[in-house]
Amino acid sequence: MATDTHSAVEAVWQIESPRLVAGIARLVREVGLAEELAQDAMVAALEQWPGSGIPDNPGAWLMAVAKRRAIDHIRREERRDKKYAELQRTLAEPEESFAATPEEDFGDDMLRLIFTACHPVVPTSGRVALTLHLLGGLSTEEIARAFLVPEPTIAQRIVRAKRSLADAKIPFEVPERSQLAERLSSVLEVIYLIFNEGYSATSGTDWVRPGLCEDALRFGRILAGLAPDEPEVHGLVALMEIQASRLRARVGASGEPILLLNQDRARWDHLLIQRGLAALQRAEELGSVSGPYTLQAAIAACHARAGTPGETDWEQISSLYDELSAASPSPVVELNRAVARAMAFGPEAGLELVDALLSEPSLANYHLLPSVRGDLLAKVGRHQEARDEFERAASLTQNDREKELLLSRVRGLS
């Protein structure tokens, strides 16, 4: 019975912890403290529920206990006055149901939590870990396992992230309109980094890690519901929905990678494609000019609409990459633009763009540069050079599955 109760508490925590932390953070104005108080409530549940039974509304029970812990903390710190009165008022609300607190308050709290966890004052790796921890309810062990790094490293990142927020006195609030674009960009970056690590793992023995994609999609959908008028939010959701639709087709029976043009499109998830296309339409309706995520979603949509690889509108994709390069220039975008141009206008056209990137410092150890160049060299018949490029790409990647794929290309040219 105790084991069953313990499992139930863990399940409730997984579901309710983002709301608990967000709701308490609104009151105590500090994310780290809010999480401690929420965890205190979970400990209370582990102590009391085996004897009293699981309450009808466990989330409301935890919220009420966490609020009481907040009052105790404020009393100890002798900071009663206004905050104490505010907390006392919240305790007067009925505890039987979360519906007793207006749903819009929860929406506002979650939005504040997302912007706080993804604040630019925190390093990118810390933002990713803190977001998965606070919004995804993932333990440090689960995050460490997902990213194949030691658990103490993740724990340290989370601690440092909370400390950075506290030291910088970051307010628990949605940023002002003048700061919104920059702050929203940070939020979207974190969500897409999580998704990409799931979609194309940078290291380890797995080509994809669907769990991370699911977490990122959940965060994106929550954000779209909380910020329905932001076109790039819908653009990112569209991009992730469409890319996630290919996950089942990206790996073979033994876990080996299957590249886009070789995938069985019958295995694509057409429900996710439809969701993605709807989100893309929403993004395009809201934005007079398409942002980077919306443009990438439009590129993904070109693939999704093609019933076979031969039906892909590569000229349209090449044109979209031209727009993306102008809107958000980067060496990686240029590399992708080269691939699209090669598919639309021939390998020589793509090779010209790739060769211009060979002296780019930021791509010096980027395995996809020699991988793409090797592919284009093979297509124009320069096989020895292609083999050299594939071998270099294999030496640079940290993903075992990708390494084997690249080495198979070398063997195929022998």
Side-chain angles (χ1 to χ4, degrees):
M1 176 63 181
T3 302
D4 292 342
T5 304
H6 191 280
S7 298
V9 173
E10 289 183 344
V12 170
W13 175 259
Q14 187 82 21
I15 295 168
E16 299 290 354
S17 61
R19 284 188 167 193
L20 284 171
V21 174
I24 298 302
R26 171 166 53 91
L27 302 174
V28 299
R29 317 304 292 181
E30 186 182 330
V31 169
L33 174 58
E35 188 189 11
E36 290 176 14
L37 295 169
Q39 288 174 343
D40 285 348
M42 185 177 75
V43 171
L46 288 170
E47 293 172 346
Q48 297 181 37
W49 290 3
S52 64
I54 300 171
D56 293 337
N57 192 327
W61 191 98
L62 289 169
M63 181 65 83
V65 172
K67 286 179 178 180
R68 291 197 183 98
R69 294 291 194 272
I71 287 180
D72 291 341
H73 172 84
I74 290 175
R75 281 174 174 160
R76 285 194 303 270
E77 296 297 320
E78 296 182 347
R79 291 187 284 117
R80 305 178 187 185
D81 300 330
K82 183 177 178 181
K83 284 188 178 180
Y84 180 53
E86 181 180 340
L87 285 170
Q88 289 283 40
R89 284 195 299 274
T90 65
L91 281 179
E93 300 165 359
E95 297 175 7
E96 286 74 18
S97 170
F98 265 122
T101 301
E103 193 63 33
E104 56 268 22
D105 287 350
F106 283 125
D108 290 344
D109 290 344
M110 287 295 291
L111 195 57
R112 293 184 188 104
L113 185 60
I114 290 171
F115 275 105
T116 302
C118 298
H119 197 285
V121 74
V122 178
T124 301
S125 59
R127 277 182 270 156
V128 168
L130 189 61
T131 298
L132 285 168
H133 186 57
L134 293 181
L135 294 170
L138 273 64
S139 67
T140 53
E141 179 186 2
E142 290 169 324
I143 300 169
R145 190 165 59 245
F147 282 89
L148 302 181
V149 297
E151 185 177 349
T153 300
I154 293 297
Q156 191 174 56
R157 288 177 186 174
I158 293 171
V159 169
R160 286 177 175 172
K162 292 177 188 175
R163 186 180 301 135
S164 295
L165 293 171
D167 290 348
K169 294 182 170 55
I170 301 302
F172 185 71
E173 63 186 19
V174 177
E176 299 290 337
R177 176 59 61 177
S178 60
Q179 300 177 315
L180 186 59
E182 177 189 0
R183 294 283 301 280
L184 184 60
S185 174
S186 177
V187 172
L188 298 179
E189 176 193 23
V190 168
I191 293 174
Y192 197 42
L193 280 171
I194 294 170
F195 182 88
N196 270 340
E197 185 59 31
Y199 188 74
S200 185
T202 55
S203 61
T205 58
D206 294 321
W207 174 240
V208 298
R209 297 184 194 134
L212 285 174
C213 293
E214 291 167 5
D215 285 327
L217 263 173
R218 185 169 72 255
F219 300 156
R221 290 166 182 164
I222 289 171
L223 187 58
L226 299 175
D229 297 326
E230 295 295 335
E232 276 291 77
V233 173
H234 296 284
L236 176 58
V237 171
L239 175 59
M240 294 191 297
E241 298 275 15
I242 296 172
Q243 287 184 319
S245 73
R246 306 178 199 144
L247 282 172
R248 288 182 303 192
R250 272 176 66 77
V251 293
S254 301
E256 71 277 10
I258 302 177
L259 300 180
L260 177 62
L261 297 183
N262 299 323
Q263 289 172 13
D264 177 1
R265 301 191 175 206
R267 298 192 68 203
W268 287 2
D269 188 324
H270 292 278
L271 175 60
L272 288 180
I273 290 174
Q274 292 305 313
R275 290 179 65 130
L277 294 177
L280 175 59
Q281 182 179 351
R282 177 66 174 157
E284 291 173 338
E285 290 171 350
L286 286 169
S288 56
V289 177
S290 293
Y293 292 109
T294 301
L295 287 169
Q296 291 177 77
I299 291 167
C302 289
H303 293 295
R305 292 184 177 112
T308 65
E311 295 173 11
T312 307
D313 189 345
W314 284 106
E315 290 192 19
Q316 174 65 11
I317 291 174
S318 180
S319 176
L320 287 166
Y321 268 116
D322 290 342
E323 289 185 52
L324 181 61
S325 180
S328 183
S330 79
V332 172
V333 169
E334 278 301 293
L335 184 60
N336 289 328
R337 190 165 79 95
V339 173
R341 180 157 297 194
M343 295 299 296
F345 306 111
E348 294 86 355
L351 196 56
E352 181 181 352
L353 291 180
V354 170
D355 286 347
L357 295 171
L358 294 177
S359 59
E360 171 56 47
S362 65
L363 297 182
N365 296 309
Y366 187 54
H367 71 283
L368 290 182
L369 176 58
S371 175
V372 168
R373 191 165 189 266
D375 184 64
L376 296 178
L377 288 169
K379 288 178 178 177
V380 298
R382 294 160 61 180
H383 289 176
Q384 182 55 54
E385 293 174 83
R387 282 196 293 270
D388 292 344
E389 293 290 351
F390 285 132
E391 286 177 348
R392 172 168 166 72
S395 72
L396 291 174
T397 183
Q398 298 179 51
N399 185 281
D400 295 343
R401 295 288 188 177
E402 195 165 24
K403 185 187 293 290
E404 178 55 34
L405 175 66
L406 291 163
L407 292 176
S408 73
R409 297 295 305 273
V410 174
R411 294 190 294 271
L413 292 170
S414 300

